[in-house]
């Protein structure tokens, strides 16, 4: 069985980056950056619900549920795999973003650097780095969406097997953040 999910928003932002958005997010006119409130993991919840529906409706081996994706979908596969670690066996990720708090990649083409259109759109979903709003998971959003931080936080937990391909010359999501990600996974023995 193969199921392809989408992460679509009906506005200029286009997606939730496979996590969710502010509790008062305006879908049709997302023009403000929240300064307070809660960021809710709506997209993760939708994926979890879908997996539970699938396993309850079809003869699926629950020990063989895998996630895969490329670029934003690759980052989403890792985020969701770590969030739903009791449901996901393995993750295959190509060119993912691992840390949405990382904004100063030395490659000036990085679309997640401070001041870029992508960064401004992310701030409309989750607020700015300076506010680092809380999530419904009782974690600050930019900690929750930093896989290296989460690896350390989940040091005593089992994670799915993760295969990730990254390129040192990736001008879109960059290379510099990957060094901290891999170091965190090594230090936490994942």
């Amino acid at each position: 069985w193969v199921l392809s999910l989408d992460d679509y928003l009906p506005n200029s932002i286009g997606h939730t980056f496979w996590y969710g958005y502010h509790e008062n997010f305006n879908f049709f006119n997302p023009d403000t950056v929240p300064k307070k409130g809660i960021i809710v993991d709506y997209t993760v919840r939708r994926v979890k619900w879908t997996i539970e529906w699938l396993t309850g409706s079809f003869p699926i081996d629950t020990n063989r549920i895998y996630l895969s994706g490329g670029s934003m979908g690759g980052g989403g596969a890792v985020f969701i795999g770590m969030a739903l670690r009791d449901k996901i066996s393995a993750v295959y990720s190509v060119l993912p973003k691992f840390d949405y708090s990382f904004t100063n990649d030395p490659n000036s083409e990085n679309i997640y650097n401070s001041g870029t259109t992508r960064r401004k759109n992310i701030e409309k979903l989750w607020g700015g780095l300076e506010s680092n709003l809380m999530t419904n998971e009782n974690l600050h959003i930019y900690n929750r969406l930093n896989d290296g931080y989460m690896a350390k936080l989940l040091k005593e937990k089992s994670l799915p097997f993760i295969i990730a391909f990254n390129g040192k010359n990736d001008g879109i999501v960059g290379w510099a953040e990957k060094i901290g990600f891999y170091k965190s996974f090594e230090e936490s023995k994942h």
Side-chain angles (χ1 to χ4, degrees), residues 120-177:
K120 291 175 185 175
N121 283 337
I122 285 171
E123 291 176 353
K124 291 174 187 177
L125 292 169
W126 307 324
L129 283 169
E130 69 286 347
S131 56
N132 203 11
L133 298 175
M134 290 298 287
T135 67
N136 61 291
E137 300 173 284
N138 204 30
L139 293 166
H140 291 279
I141 187 63
Y142 290 105
N143 292 342
R144 172 59 184 88
L145 297 181
N146 175 341
D147 286 329
Y149 175 88
M150 293 303 294
K152 289 179 181 178
L153 187 68
L154 299 170
K155 183 177 181 178
E156 304 301 320
K157 305 283 185 186
S158 240
L159 295 180
F161 181 73
I162 298 172
I163 297 173
F165 290 93
N166 308 104
K168 286 187 177 181
N169 296 318
D170 186 340
I172 302 296
V173 297
W175 173 254
E177 67 151 23

Side-chain angles (χ1 to χ4, degrees), residues 50-66:
T50 304
I51 290 170
E52 289 171 351
W53 173 79
L54 282 169
T55 57
S57 302
F58 298 96
I60 294 173
D61 181 349
T62 58
N63 292 311
R64 296 176 63 191
I65 297 176
Y66 313 112

Side-chain angles (χ1 to χ4, degrees), residues 50-117:
T50 304
I51 290 170
E52 289 171 351
W53 173 79
L54 282 169
T55 57
S57 302
F58 298 96
I60 294 173
D61 181 349
T62 58
N63 292 311
R64 296 176 63 191
I65 297 176
Y66 313 112
L67 299 176
S68 68
S71 192
M72 184 190 61
V78 176
F79 285 134
I80 291 173
M82 291 176 75
L84 305 179
R85 59 194 172 277
D86 59 329
K87 298 187 179 310
I88 306 301
S89 298
V91 173
Y92 178 84
S93 180
V94 178
L95 304 174
K97 176 86 173 145
F98 291 132
D99 179 3
Y100 283 93
S101 68
F102 196 90
T103 61
N104 296 308
D105 193 274
N107 185 332
S108 61
E109 295 176 17
N110 186 301
I111 63 173
Y112 292 94
N113 279 347
S114 295
T116 63
T117 301

